[in-house]
Amino acid sequence: MPSFTHDDVEIAFLDEGEGEPIVLVHGFASNKEVNWVAPGWVSTLTRASRRVIALDNRGHGASTKLYDPAAYHSSLMADDVCALIDHLGLQRADVMGYSMGARNTVFLALASPGHVRSAVLGGVGGRLVGGVGLEPDTIAQGLEAPSLADVIDPTAHVFRAFAEQTKSDLQALAACLRGSRQPLERNALAATAVPVLVAAGTKDLIAGSPADLAALIPGAQVLAIPDRDHMLAVGDRSFKAGVLKFLAERP
């Protein structure tokens, strides 16, 4: 598995296919295999003649685990993606993130728009603005609990179960959650200078309304994924079809 080092953090990634590059940024407690390989995104995009690059975010998958929340600021995680694009010698790439990965993608698009040809923001909506969308400390405490059976909060229980399923480092995830939930402000989003697609399931109670978020981003498009919640929307066929259409039509 290829990797590179950025800011003393080893970042693992995959690089498959040929064509215009797209970088995939996974969500919290996931990794490149769970978020992008298993649901068929890598195969879908390579069949569409795309070069697909997907990283394990710091603290996740095969990348370096860190235990200081300050090491997970969204701007640092976005800079890892920027560094990967530079490491591969790409001028710019389409970037698609899901949930936390979408937040990181926005931070990247705002800080380094020259690296981002377009941005697909999956699993996010109005709650990305002015708030964190979740209760970070409650979920972090669930990750730090002695066992899944000790986690009472229902949302924390879902994330703890998912983290165990992905065989994640629970302490690193707790630090990530506490350090990476910076809200985005309306005036910042208004300065977004790349084509954007905002996609979320119609039953996603974590993201909020994708239309509310898209309304704050100049020219942003909306994709509502029918009858899917935050977890099930990831591999949905209509999500894939909508993203392929957006990529084919974006400037």
Side-chain angles (χ1 to χ4, degrees), residues 104-177:
N104 297 345
T105 299
V106 175
F107 271 81
L108 172 62
L110 292 174
S112 302
H115 283 81
V116 182
R117 183 167 185 176
S118 72
V120 177
L121 311 179
V124 290
R127 290 186 175 181
L128 194 68
V129 182
V132 296
L134 294 169
E135 293 294 335
D137 199 57
T138 299
I139 298 174
Q141 289 174 17
L143 293 166
E144 295 167 332
S147 72
L148 180 61
D150 294 300
V151 182
I152 305 302
D153 180 84
T155 302
H157 192 278
V158 168
F159 277 93
R160 171 63 179 261
F162 181 63
E164 291 188 0
Q165 177 188 340
T166 57
K167 296 178 169 51
S168 297
D169 183 321
L170 300 180
Q171 299 301 315
L173 290 187
C176 176
L177 195 57

Side-chain angles (χ1 to χ4, degrees), residues 19-25 36 41 45 48-55 81-82 84-85 88 90-97 101 105-106 108-109 112-121 194-197 243-251:
E20 291 185 280
I22 182 167
V23 178
L24 309 180
V25 190
W36 306 119
W41 274 105
L45 290 164
S49 300
R50 302 300 300 254
R51 179 182 177 184
V52 181
I53 300 144
L55 76 159
V81 183
C82 188
L84 175 57
I85 293 171
L88 295 174
L90 305 174
Q91 283 193 324
R92 60 178 181 168
D94 297 298
V95 182
M96 177 165 67
T105 299
V106 175
L108 172 62
S112 302
H115 283 81
V116 182
R117 183 167 185 176
S118 72
V120 177
L121 311 179
V194 304
V196 173
L197 174 68
V243 169
L244 291 177
K245 181 176 184 293
F246 170 75
L247 293 173
E249 295 176 352
R250 60 100 176 90

Side-chain angles (χ1 to χ4, degrees), residues 197-247:
L197 174 68
V198 183
T202 58
K203 294 183 177 179
D204 189 336
L205 302 179
I206 293 174
S209 166
D212 288 351
L213 176 59
L216 303 175
I217 301 172
Q221 300 179 36
V222 179
L223 175 62
I225 306 167
D227 299 320
R228 296 297 192 185
D229 64 15
H230 194 71
M231 297 298 185
L232 294 179
V234 178
D236 186 86
R237 285 184 293 180
S238 66
F239 186 14
K240 295 188 180 81
V243 169
L244 291 177
K245 181 176 184 293
F246 170 75
L247 293 173

